Amino acid sequence: MTTGAVIVTFNPQNPLDDLLGQLLEQCDRVLVVDNASQKDLNLQRFENHPGLTLIRLSDNFGIAHALNVGFAELQKTGTDFVFTFDQDSKIEAGFVQSALEVFGQNTPDTALVAPNFFDVNSRTYARFTLFENGSMESFQVSESDIGREIRTSFAITSGACIRMTAHQKAGPLRDDYFIDHVDSEYCLRLQKAGFKLLVNPAVCFKHAIGNRTVHRFLGLTFKPNNHSYLRRYYISRNGFHMAKLYREDFPQMQKLNLLRMIHEVGCVVLYETGKLKKLSYIVRGYQDARNNKLGKLT
């Protein structure tokens, strides 16, 4: 059983040393796929390590394209399990082995194992969502769930482990989504292909989602991510497109996306700067989704 990891980079603000050091100890092969960064990645400490490969792309083609490049490269070497990370990820010793143990304890139709995660900005734990029998359940996991099969319908890219045979069956990630909801669409496609996705409650992964803060208004909780207007566009466009794409297989997606977009708009109106521009790009995203106009916004 061989393992590989793909780290996607684009002008990283912090060194990759900690993440690379851990992955090179825990994985058979590590790929850094760089989306044409304008700054030095500072990989000199690892430049002669036989397990590390740096792939520099000629332009920023988005996270999905970079991940697909990594998967294709690892597939050539017969890698069985692939871990995916963004450039701000941090892991501890035993991270890889813990995910593999979950795969080993479950049936071969398990395609993906994701860690629990803690958002360092809002200081809140993840809420997972499960679509099942026409219903939608939202829940959190904790160490008390260790040993149980915790299914989820969605997992973020960073920290996830994917079985290569499942990836080959489901197909590559959608590079026409460019960035947001790339992971969400991929998760739904895996499930449509007959696979299940699990949460590993034995590992809690520290992660930063945008510049998220937490606010209370009229008894409701808002967590603005303070994304740019471009990210607001992709979130809107890809969310509405995904809801339309899977309306027959996962009708709950339309409700979930609508609730998410109401939350997004509320966050922009109540707490974020650049309100008018962000709202206009949310509307533009919706219009482009209706017209199936995808790809990188130019």
Side-chain angles (χ1 to χ4, degrees):
M1 179 168 49
T2 58
T3 58
V6 181
I7 307 169
V8 177
T9 56
F10 178 68
N11 293 329
Q13 301 299 310
N14 301 305
L16 302 175
D17 289 17
D18 291 344
L19 178 61
L20 280 174
Q22 286 287 351
L23 286 175
L24 288 169
E25 288 183 4
Q26 299 181 48
C27 287
D28 298 299
R29 192 173 177 199
V30 178
L31 274 63
V32 176
V33 184
D34 182 65
N35 266 321
S37 291
Q38 300 300 308
K39 58 173 64 176
D40 187 357
L41 297 180
N42 297 313
L43 303 183
Q44 291 82 356
R45 173 184 162 192
F46 306 100
E47 60 184 355
N48 296 318
H49 196 292
L52 178 64
T53 301
L54 171 62
I55 300 174
R56 294 186 183 274
L57 303 180
S58 60
D59 198 356
N60 181 8
F61 297 108
I63 189 170
H65 179 85
L67 287 170
N68 287 333
V69 168
F71 270 102
E73 185 67 21
L74 290 172
Q75 184 178 332
K76 294 177 186 176
T77 60
T79 301
D80 298 304
F81 293 93
V82 179
F83 290 80
T84 56
F85 295 94
D86 65 25
Q87 61 198 18
D88 298 320
S89 304
K90 296 184 185 300
I91 64 170
E92 304 292 337
F95 183 93
V96 168
Q97 184 59 35
S98 183
L100 297 180
E101 288 173 359
V102 175
F103 276 108
Q105 294 162 3
N106 287 277
T107 53
D109 62 346
T110 302
L112 182 151
V113 171
N116 189 13
F117 72 87
F118 179 77
D119 178 39
V120 297
N121 289 329
S122 65
R123 304 198 63 77
T124 57
Y125 288 92
R127 293 200 69 84
F128 293 91
T129 300
L130 177 64
F131 294 163
E132 190 170 35
N133 299 323
S135 65
M136 179 172 66
E137 178 188 358
S138 177
F139 60 93
Q140 290 182 307
V141 301
S142 67
E143 290 184 353
S144 65
D145 293 309
I146 293 175
R148 295 178 53 219
E149 181 185 275
I150 311 295
R151 293 176 55 204
T152 181
S153 289
F154 300 98
I156 62 173
T157 300
S158 198
C161 180
I162 298 106
R163 190 191 298 268
M164 181 64 85
T165 53
H167 175 74
Q168 290 173 282
K169 183 174 180 180
L173 290 87
R174 291 192 66 131
D175 56 8
D176 57 358
Y177 273 22
F178 191 71
I179 182 166
D180 290 289
H181 287 306
V182 166
D183 45 11
S184 300
E185 190 280 329
Y186 184 66
C187 287
L188 291 181
R189 186 149 32 100
L190 284 169
Q191 291 164 92
K192 184 177 178 180
F195 294 104
K196 62 183 179 182
L197 287 57
L198 301 180
V199 181
N200 179 9
V203 174
C204 190
F205 182 67
K206 292 182 179 179
H207 187 64
I209 301 177
N211 295 302
R212 178 176 284 181
T213 55
V214 181
H215 303 270
R216 296 282 294 175
F217 181 75
L218 297 179
L220 299 174
T221 300
F222 290 87
K223 296 181 180 180
N225 294 325
N226 297 289
H227 285 316
S228 68
Y229 68 92
L230 284 175
R231 290 291 303 277
R232 292 295 182 193
Y233 166 81
Y234 288 117
I235 290 169
S236 171
R237 186 196 69 184
N238 297 345
F240 280 112
H241 183 269
M242 180 174 53
K244 179 174 65 172
L245 186 65
Y246 289 99
R247 60 189 169 195
E248 293 185 5
D249 298 289
F250 302 100
Q252 309 97 313
M253 189 62 231
Q254 292 188 311
K255 177 182 178 181
L256 178 61
N257 183 64
L258 181 60
L259 291 173
R260 285 176 172 175
M261 290 312 304
I262 291 172
H263 177 263
E264 294 277 335
V265 170
C267 288
V268 170
V269 170
L270 293 172
Y271 301 109
E272 297 191 17
T273 59
K275 302 179 192 301
L276 292 179
K277 191 167 188 178
K278 289 181 181 180
L279 292 174
S280 69
Y281 271 78
I282 288 173
V283 172
R284 183 176 175 180
Y286 169 72
Q287 293 170 334
D288 283 354
R290 290 191 61 187
N291 296 322
N292 295 315
K293 184 178 179 182
L294 303 176
K296 184 177 180 179
L297 184 65
T298 57

